[in-house]
Amino acid sequence: LLRIGELSRRSGISPERLRAWERRYGLLHPTRSAGGLRLYSLDDLERVRTMRAHVESGLAAAEAAALATAAPREPAAPAVGTVLDATAARTELAAALERFDEPAAQAVVDRLLSLATLDTLLAQVVLPYLHDLGARWKAGDLSIAAEHFATNVLRGRLLGLARDWGRGDGRRALLACAPGEQHDLGLIAFGLALRARGWRIDFLGSDTPLPSIVEVARATQPELLVLSAVRPQRFRALGASLADLGRAHPVALAGEGARRFRPPDGTEVLLLTGDPVAEAERVSARRYPRPPGP
Ligand code: B12
């Protein structure tokens, strides 16, 4: 079952438009999660895709909806978890990337996205693969070229999936790597997992100077500002500015650096020490009110 963000991503239709199609044409038949969230089926996805195709071919929305709701349904894709063998998928992805075969790697990702949610793809395939890649590179089992090639193909693909993650009126998150930090893959994965939970993402990427982060945060007033780093020194280097930031906005520190960082007394920051998908789930479960200020 898919949440609205995932349905939107897979169908290419914005959440606002999906809600309108549901309300006006009865196109979707969501069930509710225990927490009251709407959950959509693969049949719903299929109807949205059919309706989209009819609208793009020039039909009026009402006609397109009538055809989509009447159309005999394709057999639904197999349920998540029953088919996806994550180990086999990682092996296949690794084999394609490590023979420098970009189209084959993209095809593996395409197929996985048709079988599983983005969360599953990230948590069970892409993130463990990247981690393993790093370990092998460090052990000298993989060339720098192979590591660069694989991470760049996956980074490009993840950013492709991120298209439009800044759209809509969802809870707003501002994501940046700490000054000096270049590792942004975990942060991108986190942004995608938040987006799948309805958040709106502003992404500043690698090595963002603190004054720029402050400036954007002032303008966008994020519900959560997340800084990521591999080394705790990057957070330590922020010194007293980190406490100032935490007084102005709800701030979280993430990545390997957050595991090894102890915020100085009086610094109000949340530490996200788990993996990007688990932490996206955790932060989505509660609200982050603005701090009272300096
Ligand atoms: C890809 C990579 C690069 C790429 C980064 C590309 C990019 N756009 O991100 C490039 C080539 C630029 C790079 C550069 C460097 N790298 Co590098 N890199 C890696 C590599 C191979 C993979 C990192 C990665 O993205 N992993 C995928 C993430 C998701 O997994 P993870 O890092 O294990 O993170 C886990 C958690 O920390 C958490 N997490 C991570 N990020 C986030 C974010 C959020 C929001 C949340 C909630 C959770 C979270 O989720 C993961 C678990 O699922 C690792 C090897 C490794 N073992 O990780 C080295 C590694 C991180 N790099 C390392 C080093 C030393 C460097 C360089 C200094 C090398 C050099 N001499 O130039 C530079 C530093 C550049 C800089 N100033 O930051 C070291 C860091 C060691 C340390 N602790 O200090 C590592 C560990 C390699 C090693 N074993 O020596 N690197």
Side-chain angles (χ1 to χ4, degrees), residues 100 133 137 140-152:
F100 297 93
L133 183 79
W137 169 67
D141 293 344
L142 200 73
S143 69
I144 292 184
E147 175 276 312
H148 276 30
F149 181 83
T151 48
N152 279 312

Side-chain angles (χ1 to χ4, degrees), residues 17-270:
R17 207 155 166 219
L18 287 172
R19 283 193 203 98
W21 284 0
E22 179 180 331
R23 212 172 44 243
R24 287 188 204 142
Y25 310 117
L27 188 71
L28 305 171
H29 308 293
T31 52
R32 296 272 180 179
S33 70
L37 284 175
R38 283 180 156 77
L39 296 174
Y40 298 90
S41 67
L42 294 172
D43 284 345
D44 286 320
L45 174 63
E46 204 47 52
R47 280 194 297 279
V48 175
R49 284 180 173 157
T50 308
M51 171 139 178
R52 180 185 166 172
H54 287 309
V55 169
E56 284 176 356
S57 73
L59 285 189
E63 283 174 84
L67 285 174
T69 46
R73 289 175 200 162
E74 296 286 315
V80 173
T82 54
V83 177
L84 184 70
D85 176 342
T87 312
R90 280 201 300 273
T91 308
E92 209 185 331
L93 184 64
L97 287 168
E98 286 158 34
R99 62 173 191 271
F100 297 93
D101 188 344
E102 187 262 350
Q106 302 287 13
V108 174
V109 176
D110 286 342
R111 193 167 46 76
L112 295 176
L113 280 170
S114 74
L115 292 175
T117 61
L118 185 57
D119 270 8
T120 308
L121 174 75
L122 291 172
Q124 294 186 27
V125 182
V126 174
L127 295 175
Y129 169 66
L130 283 169
H131 193 82
D132 176 58
L133 183 79
R136 286 161 51 219
W137 169 67
K138 191 182 177 202
D141 293 344
L142 200 73
S143 69
I144 292 184
E147 175 276 312
H148 276 30
F149 181 83
T151 48
N152 279 312
V153 168
L154 291 174
R155 186 171 183 277
R157 185 64 198 252
L158 295 183
L159 284 176
L161 292 170
R163 196 188 144 172
D164 280 344
W165 63 1
R167 187 199 284 257
D169 53 7
R171 302 167 70 185
R172 206 158 179 180
L174 175 58
L175 311 183
C177 289
E181 179 63 57
Q182 288 191 7
H183 301 92
D184 65 356
L185 285 157
L187 196 62
I188 297 171
F190 178 68
L192 286 169
L194 280 185
R195 180 62 177 168
R197 290 162 176 78
W199 290 66
R200 172 178 174 185
I201 308 300
D202 299 306
F203 180 70
L204 303 183
S206 63
D207 186 12
T208 315
L210 192 63
S212 311
I213 297 173
V214 169
E215 188 186 321
V216 179
R218 252 191 222 128
T220 60
Q221 293 295 331
E223 182 176 330
L224 192 59
L225 162 54
V226 182
L227 301 181
S228 169
V230 171
R231 294 177 170 175
Q233 292 92 302
R234 306 254 185 242
F235 297 135
R236 276 185 216 122
L238 297 175
S241 309
L242 187 58
D244 293 344
L245 203 59
R247 277 191 282 274
H249 307 278
V251 172
L253 306 180
E256 192 55 34
R259 286 185 216 216
R260 296 183 283 135
F261 178 66
R262 199 170 158 270
D265 289 345
T267 304
E268 290 296 321
V269 291
L270 182 69

